[in-house]
Structures are given as structure tokens and as C-alpha cells.
Amino acid sequence: MNLFHRLRDDARFAAGAWRSLRATMPIARHPTRIFPTLMEDAAARHGDTPALISDAETLTYRELDARANRYARWALAQGLAKGDVVCLLMPNRPEYLAIWLGITRAGGAVALLNTNLAGPSLAHCIDLVAPKHVIVANALAATLAGAERQLASKPKIWVHGARIGVWPRIDLAIEPLDGGPLAAGERRALTIEDDALFIYTSGTTGLPKAAKINHYRLMLASVGFAGVMDTRATDRMYDCLPMYHTTGGVVATGALLVRGGSVVIRETFSARAFWDDVEHYGCTIFQYVGELCRYLLHAPHQPSEETHRLRLACGNGLRPDIWNGFQKRFRIPRIIEFYAATEGNVTLFNFEGRPGAIGRLPRLLDRRFPVRIVRFDVAREAPARDARGRCILCGPGEAGEAIGQIVNDPLMPTNRFEGYADPADSERKILRDVFAPGDAWFRTGDLMRRDRRGYFYFVDRIGDTFRWKGENVSTAEVAEAMCRQPGIRDANVYGVAVPGHEGRAGMAAIVTDGAVDLAELRARLRRLLPAYARPLFVRVRREIELTMTFKQKKIDLVAQGFDPDSTTDPIYFDDPRRGAFVRIDAAVYQGLMDEKIRL
């Protein structure tokens, strides 16, 4: 990289970092100025400007404020005390934000339930926060009814829309209530330290945990990302991400609303409708996560992908193997990749648009933003310690777990850790006595590496990395190598147990565009990957299953392993005797299980 490009990147980083800091530093100085207050101000300034837009309904700033006030008065009429919890189970729609905005304005906290949960998992999430009430959309009422009998808590349930059973309708209950500003006697004394939301983790390593989002974090996510994206009143955000998660429900909405912009809300993501929607609504920004961009890149060409008005895409999870192709095909002027977690205190931004990097922290900012990468013991699934019991810093380019120092200092707002509804869950995420006695650091659960210029690169989730032949294998890096093979559209890499061998052997589920030359794939992997990282098994699928946040599902694939009877998908084995991938049949499978085939 020449001097010009270095100076350009430094200037972009400085500008982005300054916008973010300038937006967030006033939060601590004005502790009673919270997000619901900002929305009252926005209603006064932007009145009849569309705030939330959907195919079914549009709410102007004035209408959003009035509807939120009705929900606030409903909460007060129900005797909801400050900090009492209301659970919300509803698909994406403008009403969603109006509900939690109103309840938090009245001092309550709203737990945003995953709309895909049912039965014991849904009951677990509700019981975690012990709510006084549950609000459910009519479309999901049957799902909640199925979980109701498993609840330990006994909340009052309200349905939005047609009545089911004996539950009262909340939309009818709020209709006669006043939508005007709350009077002084109706207002609770609220500060940035009070709870606002509970947002659940994905539960990929067990049952979901309820992360506490106080008004401080709510402000950071909204005004902070308004600074990051430099949002304006003329912007329109396209939001097709689940509103029960931080990215779709807080960042994509709040970052526009605090600046007078508009948010176009779609209930679910559709690759077929994406570009038509973006063009039709005149969107200028869209928020992405996970493999959403890969889905768009592999979708058929649409004329609207060339006539949109997008100026920016912002999100996390855009992998380096598709970054350039995605940006070029869809003519995205700028991409801001970031790294963050709902409950975490490690936040990184790639303002420079450097393909593959999840963010940057120049060394001179190490003291201001204490993020470190420490060596990780995959076998123990914990950071390695030296003879003194201290964690060991990784050198440039060395992979390890990213951790962030927990500092409750108003001048360092991003370093706070509010924890979860269950204190035991909070304690499990804290690493103590890391570099000095008594210090505390948040564990991200992610392996990263950092180069000499301060760029961070995602390596793998800790639960996804596995050991084979005494070496650590990064599933993400193996997947990227496989996707370089012509004809492979996507790859999901994981480890499977093989009798007679320690650790787990690599296996990849792949989606292809027609036939793939397995001999060529084998030769390519031998060039790109060390022997221990090359997948021994390849499973050809029609599609890779994703979560609602566009992360690859692995649990069922790991359980099925390489047993040909577990699926109709063809499974191949890199047979060292033949020097080729061979189709696994009953005889080959039994030979592997009986340890008659050497690996």
C-alpha cells in the first residue's frame, strides 16, 4: 500500500471515528435525555414526514409519537412500575416500534421475543424476564398459546388483532386513549441507567440469554450509528432484518429516526423483492447481516439493481470472498462493515471500506478503546494463561480471542457491560485477572487477528473452530477457500467425530451451480490449505440453511455426520488410497466406523 492510500484510509477512519464520538459523547453529560425523549423532539421537528413505512401502513413522526403515547398511557393504566417488563412477540411492522417506544417512555422495559421460537424455548425466554404482560400479534397467537401452559411466570396476555380465546385486544384498549404528550404527572423519572429493552442472544450454544439494554446502550446504538452512517433527513433505510434483534430493531431504525430520516420496514427478507423495494421506496441505505449479501449476489439479475439510489450499505458479516463482487455488481458506493454484539463492549468499524476487515483501531487508540486479542486454547475452549496465570497477547497476524476491558467510565461509554437478566450468564462472559490482579474483560467468543496497521479480521466463532491432527481449524477460512472453486456457491464447514481419532475431522456442506469437478476441488484445496485443514468429507446440498440473522446452521449437520443413511444428499470422502473424493456408500461408511480405512 502506497503513501497516498495510507493517508486516504487514515483520513476516512478519522472522519468516521470523529462522527461517532461527537454523536455519543454527550450521552453521559445529559443522563435524562433518552431515546423516547429524542422521539418527542423528532415529532415536533418533523411532524408529517414519514417515519416508518411498510406495505401495510405508514406512520409519520407525529403519528408514531401519538401511538407511542397511547401505549405509554396503557402501561400506566395497567399499573406498570418502573422497570417492570412487557414481552413483545410480533413480526416486523411499524406498530412494533410504537409499542416498545411507548412502554419505555412510561418507564417499563420491553423484552423482544424471537418470532421463530415455540414451546419450551419460547416459555424459557418469557420466564427469564418474569414479565407482567405479554403482547402478541394475532398471527403468532397460536404459537404463544402452545407455550402458555409451560410458563412458570403468569403474565397477562394481550393480543394485537383478532381476539383468540379470552385474551383482550390491546389495539382496542389503546384506541380511546389520548395520544397527546404525557403530562408532568404521567412521567417517570428516567435516566440512561434504567432498563429499556431485553434482547435475546441466538441460543446457538444453549438456550437464549436475555441481554440487558439500558437507555445508555439504546442511545449508543441509535445516535452512535447515526454518526457512523452520517444519516440525514433525506435518507431512507431499507430494513428487512428481524426487529427483535439489535441490528434490525434498534440500529436500522434509531439511526435514521434521530436524524429525521425514514425507515422502510419489510416483514422478512426476500432476494427476489429486495432491489424492487429499494428502488420503489427510494432507499439510500440498507442494513445487512451474515450471508444476506451472498444471497443477493447469487440471485438472478434484476433491472432495479442498477437503478437504485443507494449511497451506503452498513452491516456485519460481509465475507471477503464476495465483498468486491457484491460491491461491483450492485454499484454500492460505500460499505461500512462493523463488529459488535448486543450485550458486548467490543465495537469496531471499517470506515475505510477495506475488503474483509471488520474494523480498525490504530495502536495510538489502544488506551482509549481497550480491545485485545489473546491466545486461545481450543481444547479447553478458554484463553491460554502463562506461568503467572495471566493471559498472553497475540502478535500481529496471530489468531486469538478478542476481549474488551470492562470500564464503567462515562468518558468511555462503549466499554460498559450491562450483562444479562440472569447474573450467572453475565459472570460466564467475564474474564478476570487477565493482565493484572482484579481486572475484568468481556469475552466476545470470537477468534480474530489484527495486523500491524490495526485492522481486525474475523477468523471464526469459538464454538465453530475445531482441532484435527493437533491443529486448530477455522471453519470460516476453509469455507472461503472452498468458495474459490468455480461452481461452488456456498460452503458450510464443521467438524465431525471419526472413530479412533482425537478431535474432529473437517466436513463441508456445499451448494453448487450444477456439477462440480471434485478432482479439481481436491487439487485446489491441497494448494490453498494445510493438510489438517482440508475437509475429509463433502456433502452436496440444494441449499444451506440459515438462521433469521443469516448465520449458517450447523447443529443438525454435525449430528448427521457422514452417514449416508442420514440424508439423501450425496456425501464424498477424500480417500487417501485412491487420491480422490469417492461417494460414501454403506461399505465405505462401515470401513470408516470400523477403523479399517486409515485417514
Side-chain angles (χ1 to χ4, degrees):
M1 180 178 290
N2 61 36
L3 179 60
F4 170 79
H5 289 106
R6 285 176 178 267
L7 292 174
R8 180 200 60 190
D9 287 354
D10 288 346
R12 287 177 177 172
F13 174 84
W18 171 241
R19 290 197 308 268
S20 178
L21 286 172
R22 184 174 57 186
T24 56
M25 288 186 70
I27 297 174
R29 295 199 296 266
H30 305 283
T32 61
R33 188 166 175 76
I34 58 177
F35 184 75
T37 307
L38 296 187
M39 290 300 92
E40 287 181 296
D41 294 346
R45 289 196 311 273
H46 305 294
D48 295 326
T49 301
L52 304 174
I53 303 168
S54 73
D55 287 343
E57 179 182 33
T58 292
L59 293 180
T60 66
Y61 276 86
R62 185 176 289 112
E63 290 167 339
L64 172 61
D65 188 62
R67 194 166 297 182
N69 285 334
R70 291 187 176 94
Y71 280 107
R73 289 190 167 96
W74 167 84
L76 294 171
Q78 297 301 314
L80 202 73
K82 188 167 83 168
D84 282 350
V85 179
V86 177
C87 285
L88 177 58
L89 183 64
M90 180 177 281
N92 284 10
R93 59 185 63 171
E95 193 81 9
Y96 193 97
L97 194 143
I99 291 172
W100 72 248
L101 178 59
I103 293 171
T104 57
R105 182 172 286 172
V110 183
L112 310 181
L113 296 170
N114 187 324
T115 55
N116 295 285
L117 296 179
S121 297
L122 179 56
H124 162 81
C125 288
I126 294 172
D127 285 336
L128 267 182
V129 294
K132 302 291 184 181
H133 303 269
V134 176
I135 298 172
V136 59
N138 178 59
L140 295 168
T143 299
L144 180 60
E148 184 183 15
R149 61 181 176 271
Q150 301 173 63
L151 290 175
S153 56
K154 299 300 177 184
K156 183 173 182 179
I157 298 175
W158 301 74
V159 65
H160 188 281
R163 182 193 299 270
I164 179 170
V166 296
W167 298 343
R169 283 182 59 175
I170 192 167
D171 51 324
L172 299 183
I174 70 161
E175 191 174 321
L177 300 179
D178 183 7
L182 299 186
E186 296 176 294
R187 294 181 181 272
R188 301 265 171 69
L190 298 174
T191 76
I192 55 178
E193 302 299 335
D194 291 308
D195 288 339
L197 302 174
F198 287 91
I199 297 179
Y200 295 83
T201 63
S202 61
T204 53
T205 56
L207 288 170
K209 300 185 286 290
K212 296 171 65 175
I213 308 298
N214 60 14
H215 283 283
Y216 203 136
R217 293 186 75 86
L218 187 53
M219 287 288 284
L220 282 174
S222 53
V223 303
F225 272 88
V228 167
M229 293 186 277
D230 194 19
T231 57
R232 309 148 195 171
T234 54
D235 277 324
R236 284 194 170 189
M237 168 71 78
Y238 186 69
D239 183 11
C240 58
L241 304 179
M243 292 182 74
Y244 56 76
H245 275 319
T246 309
T247 305
V250 178
V251 172
T253 54
L256 272 291
L257 296 178
V258 298
R259 297 280 180 87
S262 304
V263 184
V264 177
I265 295 172
R266 183 179 173 86
E267 185 170 322
T268 58
F269 166 74
S270 166
R272 178 178 300 175
F274 186 93
W275 293 110
D276 287 345
D277 280 352
V278 167
E279 181 190 44
H280 173 71
Y281 288 108
C283 295
T284 57
I285 307 174
F286 86 88
Q287 200 86 35
Y288 65 84
V289 292
E291 296 294 313
L292 184 151
C293 296
R294 191 182 300 274
Y295 262 58
L296 291 174
L297 187 62
H298 290 303
H301 175 271
Q302 294 174 280
S304 51
E305 72 186 48
E306 299 174 356
T307 55
H308 61 75
R309 295 172 49 204
L310 287 176
R311 69 173 181 86
L312 173 68
C314 179
N316 57 291
L318 181 55
R319 301 301 297 156
D321 59 305
I322 66 166
W323 184 305
N324 288 327
F326 177 80
Q327 187 168 19
K328 181 178 179 180
R329 171 178 166 180
F330 299 119
R331 305 178 185 182
I332 310 294
R334 192 171 181 207
I335 294 174
I336 297 180
E337 173 83 2
F338 70 88
Y339 172 86
T342 295
E343 72 280 31
N345 68 349
V346 174
T347 305
L348 303 165
F349 296 100
N350 177 1
F351 292 112
E352 301 91 316
R354 187 182 184 90
I358 61 173
R360 183 188 179 199
L361 278 178
R363 296 289 179 183
L364 57 88
L365 293 179
D366 275 356
R367 182 180 294 273
R368 180 69 177 78
F369 299 97
V371 177
R372 304 289 183 268
I373 298 179
V374 295
R375 289 183 184 172
F376 188 76
D377 186 333
V378 172
R380 292 176 51 247
E381 291 201 346
R385 303 259 183 176
D386 62 19
R388 299 178 303 125
R390 302 288 180 252
C391 292
I392 306 163
L393 283 172
C394 289
E398 183 182 1
E401 183 176 5
I403 59 176
Q405 189 171 17
I406 298 172
V407 182
N408 289 323
D409 181 344
L411 297 179
M412 304 175 73
T414 59
N415 301 117
R416 296 166 59 111
F417 174 52
E418 314 302 341
Y420 304 95
D422 185 342
D425 288 334
S426 302
E427 188 58 33
R428 281 190 284 269
K429 292 292 286 186
I430 299 175
L431 196 62
R432 301 188 184 277
D433 302 322
V434 176
F435 302 117
D439 65 352
W441 295 68
F442 173 80
R443 293 190 62 186
T444 65
D446 289 323
L447 299 178
M448 303 181 193
R449 62 167 61 95
R450 184 185 190 185
D451 68 18
R452 294 186 182 278
R453 295 202 65 215
Y455 287 100
F456 286 75
Y457 297 86
F458 179 80
V459 175
D460 218 350
R461 287 290 298 168
I462 281 174
D464 291 344
T465 296
F466 58 89
R467 285 182 70 81
W468 180 247
K469 303 292 186 181
E471 300 285 352
N472 300 336
V473 180
S474 163
T475 61
E477 292 186 341
V478 174
E480 287 172 21
M482 297 196 73
C483 286
R484 295 185 188 183
Q485 171 70 18
I488 294 183
R489 179 188 302 179
D490 202 359
N492 187 359
V493 179
Y494 46 97
V496 293
V498 181
H501 295 272
E502 292 184 1
R504 290 181 288 162
M507 184 166 181
I510 63 174
V511 176
T512 67
D513 292 318
V516 170
D517 188 329
L518 291 176
E520 184 180 327
L521 173 63
R522 186 176 188 272
R524 182 181 295 271
L525 294 178
R526 293 177 74 83
R527 291 196 304 270
L528 295 177
L529 297 173
Y532 63 84
R534 299 170 198 151
L536 284 179
F537 305 99
V538 172
R539 175 174 174 174
V540 181
R541 309 210 71 199
R542 296 185 66 178
E543 63 178 0
I544 299 293
E545 292 184 280
L546 301 178
T547 67
M548 284 296 291
T549 50
F550 299 93
K551 296 177 182 177
Q552 295 175 334
K553 294 183 178 180
K554 298 178 187 278
I555 295 175
D556 290 344
L557 295 174
V558 171
Q560 293 164 2
F562 51 91
D563 182 355
D565 289 338
S566 68
T567 178
T568 58
D569 298 338
I571 301 176
Y572 299 89
F573 163 58
D574 189 355
D575 192 336
R577 300 169 302 180
R578 304 185 192 179
F581 279 108
V582 299
R583 178 81 178 261
I584 293 183
D585 55 19
V588 172
Y589 178 73
Q590 201 57 49
L592 289 165
M593 298 303 291
D594 293 340
E595 303 178 39
K596 293 179 179 179
I597 300 177
R598 298 186 62 184
L599 303 181

